[in-house]
Amino acid sequence: MRTTLSTSDAVWQHPLAQYLQARLSQFSTHQKFVMACSGGRDSLVLADLMAHYCADRVRLLHINHQLHEDASSWAQQVQDWAAWRGVACTVCPVMIAVGNVEAQARQARYQAFAEQVQADEVLVLAHHQQDQAETLLMRLFAGSGVQGLSAMRCVDQRAGLCLWRPLLGCSRQWIDEFSVLRALPFVDDPANQVAQYERVYLRQVLWPVLQARWPSVERTVGRVAGLMQDAAEILAEVVAEDLRYCQSSDGLSVAALACLSAARQRQLIAHWMQGTEVYAPPLHRVLAVLQLAETMSTGQVVWHVWRFRQYQGQLYRLPLETAPSHAQIEQKILQLGQRLTLPSGTWHVQPTQDGLPLALLGQRFDFISRAGGERLHLEGRVGHWPLKKFLQQLSLPVWQRDQVQLLRSATDEDADILGVLTAKGCFLTVSMLQQQQPSWRLQRV
């Protein structure tokens, strides 16, 4: 039955107002909020409620996507309303990159949130029950798994932000009623009528069909999202246990992975590949990494900004932007405390009691690539060994062998090699090694 409230005081007895007031009680009375307000009906309703219950602890943040000729006037309308309502408001213009407009706008929006929201503030979003149902359906059609079908959470963490969606359990009907009762001057973005966007198509074309056949579909699908969230939490506990079992210092152990069921292998690989990324990798990329493990292939799988490789029974997760570079001849002057970046990683010149003579510091050093055929007497070894065999026994992955550099004094091209720098550490030659006396060495950071 439609609620009919008319007086100013009675408005705050509306179920929506009561619902938000109850949800606010989960936070400290000193908690600060940033309310993302587009100026549309949903966000303006929530902004109005937040202004009523905690005006001194909330500020509005309007992201101007600059995608419509009226975008600036919409931003001004939100600012004017906020000033009239007595809450602070910041307008943040963003630039949308070329590509999928929906995806790029969302990325730009969250980048702005990360820059604008302070560490002690909670970001408040106006998603409601129908938004939740639409999100679940869109992810279902995209082939998402349990994590994707859990859709949006009422309280969530994303990229260092604490997100709160207080209206996630509220119907669109409640929001429409409250908007009318308060006569809120919301913005009606024409993009909300463009059916080429997935969410608009779902809302305008498919949703009416679903509601006609299943009137309670909004609430029912929202309940499914809650069940999927429970399932996702249970699954996360299992994956964490499997990760502890399979994880090695380098990545994942193929032998340990093989002890898991096929389903747990897929879940673990997907979780490990995702890392701290917002979205999980697609199934075909997960299966491709599993194939690397099963076939012991030396190939690679590329996804997003990562590449995945297998070597000697270990799966590796490597960033694309720092793809291994080949060692080149470099010349540097070294001092204690110095940090330097080399193909094999970042190094720190540190004092030690078991290293190279202090008298060498302040001189020029050459960092040279392997020529082939080197035989060196390295610390911890008896006699001279071929460098190639030494690197093999280090289990140094193939793609890291081209990063290896040899350290020698630059003042004498015929000088002996002082050490070998690899992704697994620096190994000094015995002829220059000083033991039990003040010295220095390069330590990998």
Side-chain angles (χ1 to χ4, degrees):
M1 184 177 69
R2 185 178 178 85
T3 307
T4 55
L5 300 173
S6 55
T7 66
S8 172
D9 291 338
V11 166
W12 307 109
Q13 298 303 314
H14 187 276
L16 184 67
Q18 297 294 298
Y19 187 93
L20 179 69
Q21 187 177 26
R23 296 305 179 277
L24 270 170
S25 64
Q26 68 182 291
F27 294 99
S28 160
T29 54
H30 302 291
Q31 179 62 59
K32 297 178 181 179
F33 301 97
V34 178
M35 165 75 213
C37 184
S38 67
R41 188 199 315 267
D42 303 339
S43 65
L44 205 61
V45 163
L46 183 53
D48 190 46
L49 289 164
M50 293 292 289
H52 179 75
Y53 289 113
C54 52
D56 58 334
R57 294 186 286 130
V58 66
R59 63 187 181 92
L60 304 188
L61 178 61
H62 176 84
I63 308 299
N64 181 359
H65 297 90
Q66 305 184 90
L67 292 174
H68 192 275
E69 59 183 8
D70 293 329
S72 296
S73 63
W74 295 340
Q76 188 61 54
Q77 184 174 329
V78 173
Q79 280 189 307
D80 293 343
W81 180 86
W84 172 80
R85 200 65 176 84
V87 292
C89 178
T90 300
V91 172
C92 182
V94 296
M95 297 297 295
I96 307 302
V98 176
N100 183 312
V101 175
E102 291 177 281
Q104 295 298 336
R106 181 171 57 251
Q107 182 175 340
R109 189 160 57 246
Y110 274 92
Q111 178 62 38
F113 291 157
E115 295 170 356
Q116 295 291 327
V117 179
Q118 303 301 312
D120 61 342
E121 293 177 318
V122 171
L123 177 63
V124 186
L125 304 174
H127 298 120
H128 50 75
Q129 199 173 66
Q130 185 176 331
D131 290 326
Q132 178 76 310
E134 291 170 353
T135 298
L136 187 147
L137 290 175
M138 289 172 64
R139 293 183 179 178
L140 175 66
F141 300 149
S144 296
V146 172
Q147 185 64 45
L149 296 180
S150 64
M152 297 179 286
R153 296 175 182 270
C154 185
V155 178
D156 203 357
Q157 298 288 330
R158 175 171 175 169
L161 297 172
C162 179
L163 278 61
W164 182 41
R165 301 179 176 94
L167 304 185
L168 210 52
C170 296
S171 68
R172 173 174 287 280
Q173 180 183 345
W174 278 6
I175 293 171
D176 290 346
E177 288 175 359
F178 193 86
S179 174
V180 172
L181 292 170
R182 291 287 290 163
L184 294 174
F186 60 86
V187 170
D188 193 3
D189 187 344
N192 292 329
Q193 308 302 319
V194 180
Q196 76 180 59
Y197 299 130
E198 289 186 356
R199 190 175 290 272
V200 176
Y201 178 86
L202 178 62
R203 186 173 298 161
Q204 289 190 341
V205 179
L206 186 55
W207 197 256
V209 176
L210 295 174
Q211 279 193 314
R213 181 62 181 86
W214 297 284
S216 61
V217 64
E218 179 180 314
R219 183 173 64 255
T220 302
V221 176
R223 186 166 65 247
V224 171
L227 295 172
M228 289 296 100
Q229 288 174 12
D230 288 346
E233 289 182 14
I234 296 170
L235 187 59
E237 294 174 3
V238 174
V239 169
E241 180 181 335
D242 290 345
L243 184 61
R244 285 192 294 270
Y245 176 69
C246 296
Q247 198 163 32
S248 66
S249 58
D250 295 318
L252 290 184
S253 164
V254 172
L257 185 67
C259 295
L260 303 179
S261 67
R264 288 171 72 164
Q265 287 181 25
R266 290 192 295 270
Q267 291 296 327
L268 175 58
I269 290 295
H271 172 79
W272 175 70
M273 289 177 66
Q274 181 176 356
T276 58
E277 299 295 334
V278 175
Y279 299 108
L283 179 61
H284 70 279
R285 287 285 188 252
V286 173
L287 296 178
V289 172
L290 273 173
Q291 188 174 29
L292 285 182
E294 292 169 357
T295 62
M296 293 293 186
S297 170
T298 56
Q300 67 176 9
V301 174
V302 175
W303 169 69
H304 194 39
V305 296
W306 301 97
R307 59 196 178 93
F308 302 88
R309 300 194 69 167
Q310 184 279 145
Y311 178 71
Q312 292 192 351
Q314 300 289 324
L315 285 173
Y316 293 81
R317 180 176 184 265
L318 308 165
L320 269 179
E321 66 273 16
T322 56
S325 55
H326 289 251
Q328 303 292 332
I329 296 179
E330 302 179 65
Q331 198 171 90
K332 298 179 184 295
I333 296 175
L334 300 184
Q335 303 285 357
L336 281 180
Q338 182 178 349
R339 291 171 72 96
L340 58 155
T341 300
L342 299 171
S344 53
T346 301
W347 297 83
H348 189 200
V349 182
Q350 291 185 333
T352 183
Q353 293 293 313
D354 187 17
L356 296 172
L358 291 174
L360 293 177
L361 290 175
Q363 300 180 21
R364 288 181 295 112
F365 291 88
D366 282 332
F367 294 81
I368 61 176
S369 57
R370 297 160 53 202
E374 296 92 349
R375 294 178 61 87
L376 301 172
H377 186 186
L378 298 174
E379 55 184 319
R381 299 275 173 169
V382 177
H384 287 69
W385 284 58
L387 180 57
K388 179 179 179 180
K389 185 174 182 179
F390 173 73
L391 297 178
Q392 289 173 343
Q393 291 195 346
L394 274 184
S395 295
L396 199 67
V398 175
W399 59 90
Q400 291 180 341
R401 293 182 191 174
D402 287 337
Q403 300 173 336
V404 172
Q405 288 179 305
L406 309 180
L407 178 67
R408 73 179 181 191
S409 172
T411 59
D412 182 2
E413 292 185 359
D414 296 323
D416 291 337
I417 298 298
L418 301 174
V420 180
L421 285 84
T422 77
K424 292 200 172 184
C426 176
F427 302 89
L428 302 179
T429 55
V430 171
S431 61
M432 296 301 295
L433 186 64
Q434 290 191 325
Q435 296 182 341
Q436 304 302 316
Q437 54 185 305
S439 52
W440 63 277
R441 67 165 58 227
L442 286 164
Q443 296 283 1
R444 197 167 185 273
V445 178

